[in-house]
């Protein structure tokens, strides 16, 4: 399970370093094989490749009525491999599509990660707080 935030910077070539706390697991368990794709919320999704392959099969089986969503997820998927320094390239097409500049946030979301432009994530979270919690959280407590 991946969880927690990591504040990162892209280098001049558009690469990001996978945080050390995740790098070992991604290297040892998944041999550094990763898939990136877009999410309609305005972030990128980073999956260990075997996890993505399971999702990819489900998405590929969606009916014709979901073809636009299929394009978002499958049509924007990039397979990448971590280099020896634990970096991955965020393709320019993906960076441009979600507005990622230099300062990014990587959020562990259980089986995968979300990668956000830091400013866009802060704006998204402020909007979510202003809107209030959805009804499905009414009975949630710690």
């Amino acid at each position: 399970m991946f969880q927690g935030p990591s504040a990162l910077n892209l280098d001049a070539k558009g690469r990001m370093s996978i945080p050390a706390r995740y790098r070992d697991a991604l290297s040892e368990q998944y041999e550094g094989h990763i898939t990136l794709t877009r999410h309609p919320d305005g972030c990128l999704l980073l999956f260990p490749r075997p996890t993505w392959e399971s999702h990819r099969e489900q998405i590929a089986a969606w009916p014709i009525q979901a073809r636009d969503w299929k394009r978002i997820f499958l049509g924007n998927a990039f397979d990448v491999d971590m280099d020896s320094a634990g970096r991955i390239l965020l393709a320019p097409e993906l960076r441009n599509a979600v507005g990622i500049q230099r300062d990014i946030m990587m959020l562990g979301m259980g089986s995968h990660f979300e990668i956000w432009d830091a400013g866009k994530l802060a704006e998204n979270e402020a909007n979510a707080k202003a809107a209030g919690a959805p009804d499905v959280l009414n009975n949630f407590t710690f």
Side-chain angles (χ1 to χ4, degrees), residues 12-82:
K13 295 180 180 178
R15 295 175 301 192
M16 65 172 266
S17 291
I18 301 293
R21 68 179 187 243
Y22 305 124
R23 190 177 309 142
D24 291 341
L26 290 170
S27 291
E28 293 170 13
Q29 295 176 28
Y30 306 107
E31 299 176 348
H33 301 306
I34 293 166
T35 299
L36 295 165
T37 193
R38 284 180 49 198
H39 191 282
D41 285 348
C43 67
L44 299 179
L45 300 175
L46 183 156
F47 291 92
R49 183 111 11 100
T51 304
W52 169 251
E53 288 170 353
S54 172
H55 289 294
R56 182 180 63 202
E57 289 177 20
Q58 293 173 14
I59 295 167
W62 289 351
I64 191 75
Q65 297 89 339
R67 70 181 166 267
D68 292 335
W69 291 97
K70 195 183 289 192
R71 280 188 203 106
I72 291 171
F73 294 113
L74 292 182
N76 288 285
F78 279 84
D79 290 337
V80 297
D81 293 323
M82 280 195 304

Side-chain angles (χ1 to χ4, degrees), residues 10 15 19 42-43 48 64 92 95 99 119-120 135:
L10 291 181
R15 295 175 301 192
C43 67
I64 191 75
R95 291 193 316 262
K120 192 170 187 177
D135 291 341

